[in-house]
Amino acid sequence: MRLKIIFTLIFIGFQTLNAQTAYGIKGGFNLSKYHSDLTDSYSYKPGFYLGGTGKFELNNNFNLKPEIFFSYQGSNMNTNIILYDINDPQAERVEASKIRINEYAINVPVLVDFSLSERFYLEAGPQAGFIFKDNSKIVKGRGDYGSFEIEGEGDNDLQISLAFVFGINYKITKDIYLGARYSRDIKRQDSSLTNSIISTGLEFYL
């Protein structure tokens, strides 16, 4: 059922893209973080996004906005790592460290935006996410034995998420908008983790 909903949203988005009154590109920066009922050790990590956006006028106040964009997202995780002294294999210390988990995703939101005024617009709607790669190859810490960095293997299995998105846009000029947005996973395929993303950036309509 979840997959049917996701692919229906994608179909609607691309069908609308062919009939829209305006289309353009968008890009900006984001902060993303995992959420789990088992631990609170996750924190926000910086990233970015880049892709395309469209706007189909429904009436004077409402527009349908299908989008598709690449998103570099994920989370930081604060944890402890056991370090060993090579001169004394029996000695060990537990050192605080930070693991940076990187996700590479294609996100496809289908939003409705509402004009509050000539300059301000609210937007909200569902989003399908396709995480095609993730890794945690950056691990940094500092202890009695100096700084360290560990590279880990990534996971290339496709993971699908369904999220809800809401945000606000400010119309700078006729074709340029400044926006801020928050998204939160409702469900991730085969995972108890969810991800939230705070993003800000520009939309340029052609």
Side-chain angles (χ1 to χ4, degrees):
M1 182 64 182
R2 188 168 64 248
L3 288 176
K4 289 182 179 180
I5 294 173
I6 290 171
F7 286 114
T8 299
L9 292 174
I10 296 171
F11 175 78
I12 293 173
F14 282 107
Q15 288 297 105
T16 305
L17 198 62
N18 293 326
Q20 67 194 10
T21 58
Y23 60 92
I25 59 174
K26 62 179 298 175
F29 300 96
N30 60 41
L31 292 170
S32 54
K33 174 186 176 181
Y34 285 158
H35 299 270
S36 171
D37 295 334
L38 302 178
T39 177
D40 59 356
S41 62
Y42 296 107
S43 60
Y44 283 101
K45 71 169 285 290
F48 65 91
Y49 64 93
L50 181 65
T53 182
K55 187 173 287 191
F56 177 73
E57 184 176 335
L58 300 176
N59 57 41
N60 291 335
N61 294 319
F62 290 91
N63 297 290
L64 189 62
K65 288 183 63 179
E67 298 179 350
I68 181 169
F69 57 90
F70 168 80
S71 179
Y72 175 62
Q73 56 194 44
S75 184
N76 286 330
M77 182 174 70
N78 302 310
T79 187
N80 294 321
I81 290 181
I82 299 176
L83 299 178
Y84 297 92
D85 186 347
I86 59 175
N87 298 317
D88 184 3
Q90 301 300 318
E92 64 179 44
R93 287 186 63 87
V94 177
E95 302 293 344
S97 65
K98 181 171 71 174
I99 300 176
R100 177 158 291 180
I101 305 164
N102 302 310
E103 289 185 348
Y104 305 84
I106 299 295
N107 290 329
V108 186
V110 180
L111 309 178
V112 173
D113 83 357
F114 170 74
S115 60
L116 294 174
S117 66
E118 292 184 358
R119 293 288 183 179
F120 287 96
Y121 297 81
L122 291 178
E123 60 185 15
Q127 173 178 281
F130 303 87
I131 301 114
F132 58 88
K133 181 179 179 181
D134 66 74
N135 61 55
S136 56
K137 67 179 181 179
I138 301 176
V139 180
K140 292 184 178 179
R142 179 171 293 277
D144 290 351
Y145 308 141
S147 62
F148 59 89
E149 181 171 331
I150 302 172
E151 293 188 359
E153 295 182 358
D155 184 358
N156 296 323
D157 292 336
L158 180 66
Q159 189 178 37
I160 300 173
S161 68
L162 183 62
F164 184 78
V165 178
F166 66 89
I168 187 168
N169 288 310
Y170 175 74
K171 186 177 182 179
I172 300 174
T173 70
K174 176 183 176 182
D175 301 317
I176 302 176
Y177 292 75
L178 173 65
R181 182 178 292 182
Y182 177 81
S183 68
R184 177 69 182 263
D185 286 346
I186 300 171
K187 179 65 178 177
R188 282 198 168 201
Q189 180 185 14
D190 302 325
S191 176
S192 60
L193 292 174
T194 57
N195 199 6
S196 65
I197 302 176
I198 302 170
S199 60
T200 183
L202 293 172
E203 297 177 2
F204 301 89
Y205 287 91
L206 307 176

